[in-house]
Amino acid sequence: QVQLVESGGGLVHTGKSLRLSCIASGSTFSDYAFDWFREAPGKDREFVAGISYSGRSTDYDDSLKGRFTISRDNRKKTIYLEMSNLKPEDTAVYYCAAGRRDYSSDYVTPFESDFDSWGQGTQVTVSS
């Protein structure tokens, strides 16, 4: 397993941007696929974006396409989530999740059960 630490959350106004980071340690970073999930107050945790272990595949929740971008830097062992044109409904705790993949599984999966390492979360609050 890897250990994950998220950062970059904060309080921003509507229309602004934030970049979240998720730093991994403890195992071979390039063997892992990563997702971002978020949990808003009173709601279930939901899939935001994912990137495959090779980085060749990415996917997003349909409602977020065009505003959010996921990327990875294997040298820095870091996953990023660039969020632009933020809206109050983006307010949530954002979690990074990692799952080890074999070389035939170079795709994104949006299911929490496919990930066994989770960060502690970082709060994003968007004010109107």
Side-chain angles (χ1 to χ4, degrees):
Q1 286 190 342
V2 293
Q3 290 75 51
L4 304 174
V5 178
E6 302 99 332
S7 62
L11 172 63
V12 296
H13 291 296
T14 297
K16 298 299 185 182
S17 300
L18 276 177
R19 186 178 78 163
L20 305 184
S21 299
C22 172
I23 298 176
S25 62
S27 191
T28 305
F29 182 82
S30 58
D31 288 347
Y32 286 78
F34 294 85
D35 275 11
W36 285 96
F37 293 85
R38 69 184 183 184
E39 186 171 353
K43 296 186 177 181
D44 293 334
R45 190 156 56 186
E46 64 179 4
F47 169 74
V48 172
I51 188 164
S52 65
Y53 76 83
S54 72
R56 286 191 288 267
S57 295
T58 60
D59 200 9
Y60 303 86
D61 179 83
D62 286 344
S63 67
L64 303 176
K65 289 179 179 177
R67 294 197 299 122
F68 287 19
T69 303
I70 189 172
S71 61
R72 64 187 296 156
D73 185 330
N74 285 3
R75 184 176 58 86
K76 295 182 178 180
K77 296 186 178 182
T78 302
I79 299 296
Y80 300 101
L81 184 68
E82 301 270 3
M83 307 183 294
S84 63
N85 190 23
L86 283 162
K87 305 175 181 180
E89 52 264 42
D90 295 318
T91 295
V93 178
Y94 285 71
Y95 297 91
C96 178
R100 189 165 186 169
R101 301 287 182 258
D102 61 52
Y103 294 115
S104 65
S105 302
D106 194 22
Y107 54 80
V108 174
T109 172
F111 305 112
E112 293 183 39
S113 57
D114 289 332
F115 298 89
D116 52 13
S117 297
W118 291 78
Q120 82 289 350
T122 185
Q123 175 71 48
V124 172
T125 303
V126 185
S127 64
S128 57

